[in-house]
Amino acid sequence: MQPVTLSTERLTLSVVTTDDVDAIFEACQDPTIQRYTTVPSPYARTHAEDFVQKAATWWEEGSETTWAIRSDGDLAGMIGLHRLGSGSGELGYWMTAGHRGRGLLAEAASRVIDWGFSSDGLALARIEWRAVVGNQASARAARGLGFRFEGTLRAALGSGDGTRDDAWIAGLLPSDDRAPQPWPPLED
């Protein structure tokens, strides 16, 4: 599959390049990113170099789509559709600390979801979201995108430090209206 560049009013979503290595390395020093994603911990510069090469391979293979979220030329985060196959994929993302809380993730994710469901994109029948139980920020973002909470999966996620975590799972279908739905873990 050929890489695709997506745009929104404030963002450009484009392939990661070797020019992004330093920014990725710096961002992945964030304990929140290390705790709630699968990035290696500790995170070395070679991990960022390897990630850039892997992302290109994933596009070629059609197994994942990974974009750098760019805001005014800065790397604001990463987003992608992972585990593609059988008409479904999983939305994954992280944002740099300095770009959180500005609505950029919702903007980027909405665009990726639109492309994922579009016949001009992947024409997916389902997009899943998974996160480590307790990742309230990611859960609020997914709920805001219209994902329906579906439950908890025990020891479903491997982490960057080699442990396994329970996961929340949610799903979104092309026919869903994307209005925020009730989410039991967020209604405490």
Side-chain angles (χ1 to χ4, degrees):
M1 169 172 34
Q2 290 297 311
V4 174
T5 299
L6 304 175
S7 298
T8 70
E9 184 176 320
R10 299 182 292 169
L11 304 170
T12 300
L13 310 179
S14 59
V15 297
V16 294
T17 70
T18 56
D19 291 340
D20 297 315
V21 168
D22 290 335
I24 294 168
F25 170 68
E26 183 179 325
C28 289
Q29 301 310 304
D30 182 338
T32 300
I33 291 174
Q34 289 187 17
R35 170 66 183 107
Y36 289 123
T37 71
T38 59
V39 302
S41 178
Y43 195 87
R45 189 174 194 286
T46 57
H47 292 123
E49 294 166 348
D50 292 345
F51 172 75
V52 169
Q53 290 181 354
K54 287 178 186 177
T57 300
W58 296 329
W59 273 102
E60 289 171 14
E61 296 171 346
S63 61
E64 295 191 22
T65 60
T66 301
W67 293 272
I69 302 170
R70 301 184 194 284
S71 173
D72 296 324
D74 292 335
L75 179 75
M78 289 288 163
I79 193 164
L81 292 168
H82 312 289
R83 300 178 353 164
L84 295 173
S86 302
S88 68
E90 179 184 337
L91 181 69
Y93 45 77
W94 57 256
M95 296 296 289
T96 64
H99 289 90
R100 294 177 190 149
R102 298 175 28 205
L104 299 177
L105 175 59
E107 190 174 322
S110 291
R111 183 66 183 98
V112 168
I113 291 166
D114 288 344
W115 182 82
F117 285 143
S118 167
S119 60
D120 293 333
L122 297 175
L124 297 174
R126 173 183 167 84
I127 297 176
E128 290 184 352
W129 164 91
R130 296 175 190 220
V132 172
V133 167
N135 188 343
Q136 298 280 318
S138 186
R140 284 191 300 274
R143 179 181 61 186
L145 292 163
F147 280 85
R148 273 56 173 176
F149 183 77
E150 296 174 341
T152 301
L153 304 172
R154 297 178 307 137
L157 295 178
S159 66
D161 65 4
T163 61
R164 296 202 63 83
D165 291 301
D166 291 349
W168 286 328
I169 186 169
L172 187 64
L173 305 178
S175 58
D176 291 341
D177 64 14
R178 298 200 202 169
Q181 302 295 310
W183 277 50
L186 298 178
E187 295 172 6
D188 296 351

